[in-house]
Coordinates of all heavy atoms in Angstrom, one line a residue:
V182 N 45.2 -39.6 -46.5 CA 45.1 -38.9 -45.2 C 46.3 -39.2 -44.3 O 46.9 -38.3 -43.7 CB 43.8 -39.4 -44.4 CG1 43.7 -39.0 -43.0 CG2 42.6 -39.0 -45.2
W183 N 46.7 -40.5 -44.3 CA 47.9 -40.8 -43.5 C 49.2 -40.2 -44.1 O 50.0 -39.7 -43.3 CB 48.0 -42.3 -43.4 CG 49.2 -42.8 -42.6 CD1 50.4 -43.3 -43.0 CD2 49.4 -42.7 -41.2 NE1 51.2 -43.7 -42.0 CE2 50.6 -43.3 -40.9 CE3 48.6 -42.4 -40.1 CZ2 51.1 -43.4 -39.5 CZ3 49.0 -42.5 -38.8 CH2 50.3 -43.0 -38.5
E184 N 49.3 -40.2 -45.3 CA 50.5 -39.7 -46.0 C 50.6 -38.2 -45.7 O 51.8 -37.7 -45.4 CB 50.4 -39.9 -47.5 CG 50.5 -41.4 -48.0 CD 50.3 -41.6 -49.4 OE1 49.9 -40.6 -50.1 OE2 50.3 -42.7 -49.8
N185 N 49.5 -37.5 -45.7 CA 49.6 -36.0 -45.4 C 49.9 -35.8 -44.0 O 50.6 -34.8 -43.6 CB 48.2 -35.4 -45.9 CG 48.1 -35.2 -47.3 OD1 49.1 -35.1 -48.1 ND2 46.9 -35.1 -47.9
A186 N 49.3 -36.6 -43.1 CA 49.5 -36.4 -41.7 C 51.0 -36.7 -41.4 O 51.7 -35.8 -40.6 CB 48.7 -37.4 -40.9
I187 N 51.6 -37.7 -42.0 CA 53.0 -37.9 -41.7 C 53.9 -36.9 -42.2 O 54.9 -36.4 -41.7 CB 53.4 -39.3 -42.3 CG1 52.8 -40.4 -41.5 CG2 54.9 -39.5 -42.2 CD1 53.1 -40.5 -40.1
A188 N 53.5 -36.3 -43.5 CA 54.3 -35.1 -44.0 C 54.1 -34.0 -43.1 O 55.3 -33.3 -43.0 CB 53.7 -34.8 -45.4
L189 N 53.1 -33.7 -42.5 CA 52.9 -32.6 -41.5 C 53.8 -32.8 -40.3 O 54.5 -31.9 -39.8 CB 51.5 -32.4 -41.1 CG 50.6 -31.9 -42.2 CD1 49.1 -32.0 -41.8 CD2 50.9 -30.3 -42.4
V190 N 53.7 -34.0 -39.8 CA 54.5 -34.3 -38.5 C 56.0 -34.3 -38.8 O 56.7 -33.7 -37.9 CB 54.1 -35.8 -38.0 CG1 55.0 -36.3 -36.9 CG2 52.7 -35.9 -37.5
T191 N 56.5 -34.8 -39.9 CA 57.9 -34.8 -40.1 C 58.5 -33.6 -40.8 O 59.6 -33.7 -41.2 CB 58.2 -36.1 -40.8 OG1 57.6 -36.1 -42.2 CG2 57.9 -37.3 -40.1
S192 N 57.7 -32.6 -41.0 CA 58.2 -31.4 -41.7 C 59.4 -30.8 -40.9 O 59.4 -31.0 -39.7 CB 57.1 -30.3 -41.8 OG 56.5 -30.0 -40.6
A193 N 60.2 -30.1 -41.6 CA 61.5 -29.6 -41.0 C 61.3 -28.6 -39.9 O 61.9 -28.6 -38.9 CB 62.4 -29.1 -42.0
D194 N 60.2 -27.8 -40.1 CA 59.9 -26.7 -39.1 C 58.5 -26.2 -39.4 O 57.8 -26.7 -40.3 CB 60.9 -25.5 -39.2 CG 61.1 -25.0 -40.6 OD1 60.1 -24.9 -41.3 OD2 62.2 -24.7 -41.0
E195 N 58.0 -25.2 -38.6 CA 56.8 -24.7 -38.7 C 56.4 -24.0 -40.1 O 55.4 -24.1 -40.7 CB 56.5 -23.7 -37.6 CG 56.2 -24.3 -36.3 CD 54.9 -25.2 -36.3 OE1 53.9 -24.9 -37.0 OE2 55.0 -26.3 -35.7
R196 N 57.6 -23.4 -40.6 CA 57.3 -22.8 -42.0 C 56.9 -23.8 -43.0 O 56.1 -23.7 -43.8 CB 58.6 -22.1 -42.4 CG 58.6 -21.3 -43.6 CD 59.7 -20.5 -43.9 NE 60.9 -21.3 -44.1 CZ 61.2 -21.8 -45.4 NH1 60.6 -21.5 -46.3 NH2 62.4 -22.5 -45.4
W197 N 57.7 -25.0 -43.0 CA 57.4 -26.0 -43.9 C 56.1 -26.7 -43.6 O 55.4 -27.1 -44.5 CB 58.5 -27.1 -44.0 CG 59.7 -26.7 -44.8 CD1 60.9 -26.3 -44.4 CD2 59.7 -26.5 -46.2 NE1 61.7 -25.9 -45.4 CE2 61.0 -26.0 -46.6 CE3 58.7 -26.7 -47.3 CZ2 61.4 -25.9 -47.9 CZ3 59.1 -26.5 -48.6 CH2 60.4 -26.1 -48.8
R198 N 55.7 -26.8 -42.4 CA 54.4 -27.4 -42.0 C 53.3 -26.5 -42.5 O 52.3 -27.0 -43.0 CB 54.3 -27.5 -40.5 CG 53.1 -28.3 -40.0 CD 53.2 -28.6 -38.5 NE 54.1 -29.6 -38.3 CZ 55.1 -29.6 -37.4 NH1 55.2 -28.5 -36.6 NH2 56.0 -30.6 -37.3
D199 N 53.5 -25.3 -42.5 CA 52.5 -24.3 -43.1 C 52.3 -24.5 -44.6 O 51.3 -24.5 -45.1 CB 52.8 -22.8 -42.8 CG 52.6 -22.5 -41.3 OD1 51.9 -23.2 -40.6 OD2 53.2 -21.4 -40.9
V200 N 53.5 -24.7 -45.3 CA 53.4 -25.0 -46.7 C 52.7 -26.3 -47.0 O 51.8 -26.3 -47.9 CB 54.9 -25.1 -47.3 CG1 54.8 -25.5 -48.8 CG2 55.5 -23.7 -47.3
I201 N 53.0 -27.3 -46.3 CA 52.2 -28.7 -46.4 C 50.7 -28.5 -46.1 O 49.9 -29.0 -46.8 CB 52.9 -29.7 -45.6 CG1 54.4 -30.0 -46.1 CG2 52.1 -31.0 -45.7 CD1 55.2 -30.9 -45.2
R202 N 50.5 -27.7 -45.0 CA 49.1 -27.5 -44.7 C 48.3 -26.8 -45.8 O 47.1 -27.2 -46.1 CB 49.0 -26.7 -43.4 CG 47.6 -26.5 -42.8 CD 47.6 -25.8 -41.5 NE 48.2 -26.6 -40.5 CZ 49.4 -26.3 -39.9 NH1 50.1 -25.2 -40.2 NH2 49.9 -27.1 -39.0
D203 N 48.9 -25.8 -46.4 CA 48.4 -25.1 -47.5 C 48.1 -26.0 -48.7 O 47.1 -26.0 -49.3 CB 49.2 -23.9 -48.0 CG 49.2 -22.7 -47.1 OD1 48.4 -22.7 -46.2 OD2 50.2 -21.9 -47.2
T204 N 49.0 -26.9 -49.0 CA 48.8 -27.9 -50.0 C 47.7 -28.8 -49.7 O 46.8 -29.1 -50.6 CB 50.1 -28.8 -50.2 OG1 51.3 -27.9 -50.4 CG2 49.9 -29.8 -51.4
V205 N 47.5 -29.3 -48.5 CA 46.4 -30.1 -48.1 C 45.1 -29.4 -48.3 O 44.1 -29.8 -48.9 CB 46.5 -30.5 -46.6 CG1 45.2 -31.1 -46.1 CG2 47.7 -31.5 -46.4
E206 N 45.0 -28.1 -47.9 CA 43.8 -27.3 -48.1 C 43.5 -27.0 -49.5 O 42.3 -26.9 -49.9 CB 43.9 -26.1 -47.2 CG 44.0 -26.3 -45.7 CD 43.9 -25.0 -44.9 OE1 43.9 -24.0 -45.4 OE2 43.7 -25.2 -43.6
H207 N 44.5 -26.8 -50.3 CA 44.3 -26.5 -51.7 C 43.7 -27.8 -52.4 O 42.9 -27.7 -53.2 CB 45.6 -26.1 -52.4 CG 46.0 -24.8 -52.0 ND1 47.3 -24.3 -52.4 CD2 45.4 -23.7 -51.4 CE1 47.4 -23.0 -52.1 NE2 46.3 -22.7 -51.4
T208 N 44.1 -29.0 -52.1 CA 43.6 -30.2 -52.6 C 42.2 -30.3 -52.3 O 41.3 -30.7 -53.1 CB 44.4 -31.4 -52.2 OG1 45.9 -31.2 -52.7 CG2 43.9 -32.7 -52.9
A209 N 41.8 -30.2 -51.1 CA 40.5 -30.2 -50.6 C 39.6 -29.2 -51.4 O 38.5 -29.5 -51.8 CB 40.4 -29.9 -49.1
L210 N 40.1 -28.0 -51.7 CA 39.4 -27.0 -52.4 C 39.2 -27.4 -53.9 O 38.2 -27.2 -54.5 CB 40.0 -25.6 -52.3 CG 39.3 -24.4 -53.1 CD1 37.9 -24.3 -52.7 CD2 40.1 -23.2 -53.0
R211 N 40.2 -28.0 -54.5 CA 40.1 -28.5 -55.8 C 39.1 -29.6 -55.9 O 38.1 -29.6 -56.8 CB 41.5 -29.1 -56.2 CG 42.5 -28.2 -56.6 CD 43.8 -28.9 -57.2 NE 44.7 -27.9 -57.5 CZ 45.8 -27.5 -56.8 NH1 45.8 -27.8 -55.5 NH2 46.6 -26.5 -57.3
R212 N 38.9 -30.4 -54.9 CA 37.9 -31.4 -54.9 C 36.5 -30.8 -54.7 O 35.6 -31.3 -55.3 CB 38.2 -32.4 -53.9 CG 39.3 -33.4 -54.2 CD 39.7 -34.4 -53.2 NE 40.7 -35.4 -53.7 CZ 41.7 -35.8 -53.1 NH1 41.9 -35.4 -51.8 NH2 42.6 -36.6 -53.6
A213 N 36.4 -29.7 -54.0 CA 35.2 -29.1 -53.9 C 34.7 -28.4 -55.2 O 33.6 -28.5 -55.6 CB 35.2 -27.9 -52.8
H214 N 35.7 -28.0 -56.0 CA 35.4 -27.5 -57.4 C 34.9 -28.6 -58.3 O 34.0 -28.5 -59.1 CB 36.6 -26.8 -58.0 CG 36.8 -25.4 -57.6 ND1 36.1 -24.4 -58.3 CD2 37.4 -24.7 -56.6 CE1 36.4 -23.2 -57.8 NE2 37.2 -23.4 -56.7

Side-chain angles (χ1 to χ4, degrees):
V182 172
W183 180 253
E184 292 170 2
N185 285 335
I187 292 300
L189 287 165
V190 170
T191 58
S192 57
D194 51 36
E195 283 300 320
R196 183 174 66 89
W197 279 109
R198 186 168 292 130
D199 287 342
V200 170
I201 297 169
R202 186 177 293 111
D203 286 345
T204 300
V205 168
E206 296 189 353
H207 285 172
T208 299
L210 178 56
R211 285 185 175 91
R212 288 181 172 135
H214 274 275

